[in-house]
């Protein structure tokens, strides 16, 4: 009531007594809000100068009198400006997701469409060096936010490509099990050590910084996936073995699934 934020935790709930612990987290929430808003503001402010830099770089690259060496330097500058743009975009996406604590929307989403878009993006990153395919697709649709789910699945597919050597395989499936809807992205790439698995969804945590940078990663992809899933009451499960490959599973609860019949009943007349 006095504007303070309390964290309430039920330690044990018995038939007679319930033990509850409350903690005043006003200060840590204030610092967290400040950090999030600061990052969002800085990222936003960086956008305009970056657009200007990229524009002039492009213009300069068109100059036909440039030496070979100048061309190489310009190319390196463009690549770094592009990397910075991705970083700024990911930081903005992440702070937007963090700010929005409400559950994600409930638009009916065809998972085949989401997977097809993610595969197209994966093929672009791969440049034909991997086999990427969709193995199984259940009929169930998901009630969620299309843009967010597309970005989560695309992140998993592009990661699978980036951490799998040439000629490797990436496969996707969407199935309904007792747990709910399960979207899997499997690769036969480099894998992740058991001690790193719990940490890969942290912001900027990379098992191998130089490899991640080389392949164009921002270190924020899985942190974004984690937030998107949280807003959908969904979970991320990771199974991996070094040298063998990884499987990332998105588990969507049944309350967010829409089976075909309901979907037809809910469709507007004549659709
Ligand atoms: P990045 O931009 O560095 O890829 P992410 O948040 O997407 O950032 O991933 C964090 C780290 O998790 C990566 O740097 C990499 O070490 C590891 N990782 C993610 N996906 C895979 C995968 N499919 N195979 C092996 N390692 C992975």
């Amino acid at each position: 009531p006095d504007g303070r934020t309390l964290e309430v935790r039920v330690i044990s709930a018995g038939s007679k007594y319930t033990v509850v612990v409350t903690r005043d987290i006003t200060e840590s929430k204030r610092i967290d809000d400040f950090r999030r808003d600061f990052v969002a503001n800085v990222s936003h402010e960086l956008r305009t100068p970056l657009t200007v830099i990229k524009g002039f770089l492009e213009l300069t690259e068109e100059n036909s009198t440039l030496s070979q060496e100048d061309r190489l330097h310009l190319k390196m500058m463009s690549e770094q400006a592009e990397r910075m743009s991705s970083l700024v975009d990911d930081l903005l996406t992440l702070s937007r997701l963090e700010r929005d604590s409400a559950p994600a929307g409930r638009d009916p989403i065809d998972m085949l469409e989401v997977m097809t878009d993610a595969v197209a993006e994966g093929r672009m990153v791969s440049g034909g060096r991997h086999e990427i395919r969709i193995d199984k697709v259940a009929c169930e649709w998901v009630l969620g936010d299309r843009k967010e789910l597309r970005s989560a699945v695309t992140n998993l597919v592009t990661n699978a490509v980036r951490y799998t050597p040439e000629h490797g395989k990436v496969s996707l499936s969407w199935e309904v099990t007792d747990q709910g809807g399960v979207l899997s992205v499997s690769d036969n790439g480099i894998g992740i050590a058991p001690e790193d698995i719990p940490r890969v969804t942290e912001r900027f945590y990379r098992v191998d910084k130089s490899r991640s940078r080389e392949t164009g990663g921002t270190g924020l992809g899985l942190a974004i996936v984690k937030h998107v899933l949280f807003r959908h009451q969904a979970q991320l499960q990771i199974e991996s073995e070094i040298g063998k490959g990884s499987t990332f599973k998105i588990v969507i609860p049944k309350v967010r699934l829409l089976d075909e019949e309901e979907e037809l009943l809910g469709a507007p007349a004549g659709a």
Side-chain angles (χ1 to χ4, degrees), residues 159 162-163 187 192 200 205-207 212 217-219 221-222 246 248:
N159 271 355
R162 293 191 295 117
Y163 298 104
D187 64 61
I192 307 166
V200 289
Y205 187 84
R206 287 117 149 192
V207 176
S212 160
T218 61
L222 290 179
S246 314
F248 283 73

Side-chain angles (χ1 to χ4, degrees), residues 62-264:
E62 279 167 21
N63 179 350
S64 55
T65 60
L66 287 175
S67 72
Q68 195 87 359
E69 201 183 8
D70 285 345
R71 243 173 232 295
L72 185 70
H73 292 161
L74 277 176
K75 189 167 165 271
M76 281 158 68
M77 282 155 79
S78 291
E79 280 169 7
Q80 293 305 317
E82 212 47 66
R83 238 177 74 72
M84 206 159 154
S85 276
S86 309
L87 196 55
V88 164
D89 287 348
D90 279 359
L91 279 170
L92 272 174
T93 305
L94 197 54
S95 48
R96 263 191 217 121
L97 286 168
E98 280 179 328
R99 189 174 324 133
D100 206 350
S101 54
R106 293 177 69 86
D107 290 332
I109 294 158
D110 180 354
M111 290 310 270
L112 177 60
E113 216 175 279
V114 170
M115 288 156 86
T116 310
D117 285 353
V119 166
E121 189 84 23
R123 291 205 170 119
M124 246 164 56
V125 174
S126 159
R129 290 183 300 250
H130 301 80
E131 186 191 319
I132 311 173
R133 57 162 205 255
I134 298 177
D135 280 342
K136 275 183 234 154
V137 186
C139 319
E140 279 79 355
W141 286 28
V142 170
L143 295 169
D145 182 300
R146 177 172 287 104
K147 207 170 140 214
E148 287 184 19
L149 286 174
R150 193 188 289 148
S151 97
V153 179
T154 302
N155 256 308
L156 297 186
V157 176
T158 50
N159 271 355
V161 169
R162 293 191 295 117
Y163 298 104
T164 298
E166 280 188 37
H167 310 301
K169 287 191 181 129
V170 175
S171 54
L172 285 81
S173 70
W174 166 238
E175 293 171 275
V176 173
T177 70
D178 290 346
Q179 286 183 294
V182 182
L183 189 144
S184 311
V185 179
S186 299
D187 64 61
N188 59 353
I190 62 170
I192 307 166
E195 65 273 21
D196 288 316
I197 292 180
R199 302 205 56 193
V200 289
T201 55
E202 289 172 17
R203 285 182 216 120
F204 295 117
Y205 187 84
R206 287 117 149 192
V207 176
D208 177 350
K209 274 201 192 317
S210 62
R211 181 178 181 118
S212 160
R213 250 186 231 122
E214 236 171 66
T215 57
T218 61
L220 294 172
L222 290 179
I224 291 175
V225 172
K226 194 173 85 174
H227 274 86
V228 166
L229 298 191
F230 178 73
R231 279 169 42 76
H232 285 80
Q233 294 91 36
Q235 281 180 355
L236 183 67
Q237 293 177 357
I238 308 172
E239 292 155 21
S240 190
E241 210 178 316
I242 284 283
K244 290 241 165 91
S246 314
T247 298
F248 283 73
K249 287 184 184 166
I250 292 178
V251 183
I252 296 182
K254 287 196 171 139
V255 291
R256 280 199 177 259
L257 296 185
L258 184 70
D259 68 36
E260 226 171 358
E261 261 171 57
E262 280 176 71
E263 178 199 316
L264 291 175

